[in-house]
Amino acid sequence: MIDLRRLEALVAVHRTGSVSGAAAQLHYGQPTISHHLRRLEAETGSVLLQRVGRGVRLTPEGERLARRGEEILGLLARAEAELAAATSLQSGRVRLAAFPSGAATLVPDALALLAERHPGIRLDLVEAEPPEAHELLRAGEIDLALTFAYPDQPEPEQITSVPVFDDPLHLVTPASAAPPAGPVDLGGYASSGWITGCERCRRELLTLCAEAGFTPAIAFASDDYVAVQSLVASGLGVTVLPGLALRAHQHRDVVRRPLDAHRRVQLSTYGAPPRPAAVDAVAEAIAEVGRAVSR
């Protein structure tokens, strides 16, 4: 059986990129880290590290074991947190990740509800888009994530998500150019410049345009919803934005029109329930706020 201290040493080398970095992270001496790594190689019968100059790098086998090790240590951290959590809601610490527009709209009202109902719960909040939030869940660095997904996206492995509400998508155009009446026809904007997010984030926009029969000419890219709307307001293009982004901030010189498309806002955890009572309380507060927003 693999010794968890040795697995922890390998994961730390993977995260920091060096034995010295792992020693600093784990507060061990470098000889101790080196000893753990040698013993781990002996236990597994695998070469896990290679010497490169004065440093080391993980072999493919080492990379695989380190990734699994992160999951194992994350589960262990979660188990320890569950055991330590009070069975009542008098106290508890919940680490939450939320995508930016969700953090700006749903989370503040959820925090107000928590302060009213469970003042002993402490919430640590970080901003993270879904892919990063999923990795934080797997590594045990957060307990709960407010994420989103589009209808055709599969659930990531080992992540459990509960839908909160459907967040409608909107075509956003300059207010100076009066939009035609009636339902939105994206095909009418085939010759327009388009403003979108990074390559990872523009997938749904590309899908919608493809369904309308064209490939959008991308003029600018930004993950900042405020900057995107300013570019639109200046007449530099059009875009598609979700409702929560426009709820957080809508530029006075843009017009939004609903599309027949949405993204699913959801609460994600690692593995299956049960969860600590404090985590459930935070999830319920966010879900309640989300249901109110979607009415």
Side-chain angles (χ1 to χ4, degrees), residues 173-180 189 232-233 235 238 253-255 257:
T173 58
S176 57
Y189 296 87
V232 172
V238 299
D253 294 326
V254 303
V255 174
R257 298 166 67 206

Side-chain angles (χ1 to χ4, degrees), residues 43 52 61 93 103 117 119 136 193 216 225 262 265 281 288:
E43 287 175 348
V52 180
E61 291 78 11
R93 172 176 171 247
R117 296 174 181 172
L136 291 172
Y225 291 141
H262 67 272
V265 175
E288 187 172 328

Side-chain angles (χ1 to χ4, degrees), residues 133-245:
H134 296 152
E135 291 307 312
L136 291 172
L137 283 169
R138 289 192 186 98
E141 295 181 21
I142 59 172
D143 307 297
L144 181 68
L146 180 63
T147 62
F148 63 84
Y150 291 99
D152 61 340
Q153 282 184 272
E155 184 83 322
E157 185 181 355
Q158 298 171 318
I159 301 297
T160 300
S161 298
V162 177
V164 177
F165 69 99
D166 288 340
D167 189 18
L169 302 182
H170 299 259
L171 175 68
V172 181
T173 58
S176 57
V184 177
D185 175 18
L186 282 186
Y189 296 87
S191 60
S192 299
W194 285 80
I195 302 161
T196 184
C198 66
E199 290 189 15
R200 186 189 68 199
C201 305
R202 67 184 63 164
R203 176 179 168 217
E204 188 63 15
L205 184 147
L206 295 176
T207 299
L208 291 171
C209 292
E211 290 172 352
F214 71 97
T215 300
I218 296 172
F220 299 96
S222 173
D223 288 333
D224 185 331
Y225 291 141
V226 176
V228 166
Q229 291 183 59
S230 294
L231 291 167
V232 172
S234 297
L236 298 173
V238 299
T239 193
V240 170
L241 291 177
L244 283 184

Side-chain angles (χ1 to χ4, degrees), residues 7-291:
L7 189 60
E8 186 180 43
L10 181 69
V11 169
V13 171
H14 183 242
R15 286 177 176 171
T16 64
S18 68
V19 171
S20 60
Q25 184 180 90
L26 298 177
H27 306 291
Y28 291 158
Q30 289 189 44
T32 300
I33 296 293
S34 297
H35 170 75
H36 283 324
L37 295 172
R38 286 194 301 271
R39 294 300 305 151
L40 184 60
E41 288 186 319
E43 287 175 348
T44 60
S46 302
V47 176
L48 303 175
L49 296 105
Q50 293 176 324
R51 290 282 174 188
V52 180
R54 295 185 177 180
V56 297
R57 70 179 178 191
L58 271 63
T59 64
E61 291 78 11
E63 290 274 357
R64 280 194 289 272
L65 182 56
R67 285 195 295 269
R68 286 298 184 191
E70 283 191 307
E71 295 176 7
I72 292 165
L73 294 173
L75 281 172
L76 182 61
R78 178 180 171 185
E80 290 173 343
E82 289 174 355
L83 289 173
T87 53
S88 69
L89 290 172
Q90 298 304 310
S91 64
R93 172 176 171 247
V94 176
R95 300 164 298 170
L96 171 71
F99 59 92
S101 58
T105 54
L106 304 181
V107 173
D109 288 345
L111 282 172
L113 274 181
L114 280 171
E116 201 178 293
R117 296 174 181 172
H118 310 295
I121 294 179
R122 192 179 111 210
L123 190 73
D124 296 338
L125 174 65
V126 296
E127 275 194 6
E129 296 285 359
E132 290 78 18
H134 296 152
E135 291 307 312
L136 291 172
L137 283 169
R138 289 192 186 98
E141 295 181 21
I142 59 172
D143 307 297
L144 181 68
L146 180 63
T147 62
F148 63 84
Y150 291 99
D152 61 340
Q153 282 184 272
E155 184 83 322
E157 185 181 355
Q158 298 171 318
I159 301 297
T160 300
S161 298
V162 177
V164 177
F165 69 99
D166 288 340
D167 189 18
L169 302 182
H170 299 259
L171 175 68
V172 181
T173 58
S176 57
V184 177
D185 175 18
L186 282 186
Y189 296 87
S191 60
S192 299
W194 285 80
I195 302 161
T196 184
C198 66
E199 290 189 15
R200 186 189 68 199
C201 305
R202 67 184 63 164
R203 176 179 168 217
E204 188 63 15
L205 184 147
L206 295 176
T207 299
L208 291 171
C209 292
E211 290 172 352
F214 71 97
T215 300
I218 296 172
F220 299 96
S222 173
D223 288 333
D224 185 331
Y225 291 141
V226 176
V228 166
Q229 291 183 59
S230 294
L231 291 167
V232 172
S234 297
L236 298 173
V238 299
T239 193
V240 170
L241 291 177
L244 283 184
L246 293 162
R247 186 182 183 90
H249 169 80
Q250 181 168 339
H251 196 290
R252 65 179 180 274
D253 294 326
V254 303
V255 174
R256 65 172 174 178
R257 298 166 67 206
L259 299 170
D260 185 21
H262 67 272
R263 65 179 181 177
R264 183 177 64 251
V265 175
Q266 54 195 18
L267 286 162
S268 301
T269 54
Y270 181 72
R275 301 177 300 201
V279 174
D280 279 336
V282 174
E284 177 51 38
I286 294 173
E288 187 172 328
V289 170
R291 289 192 293 268

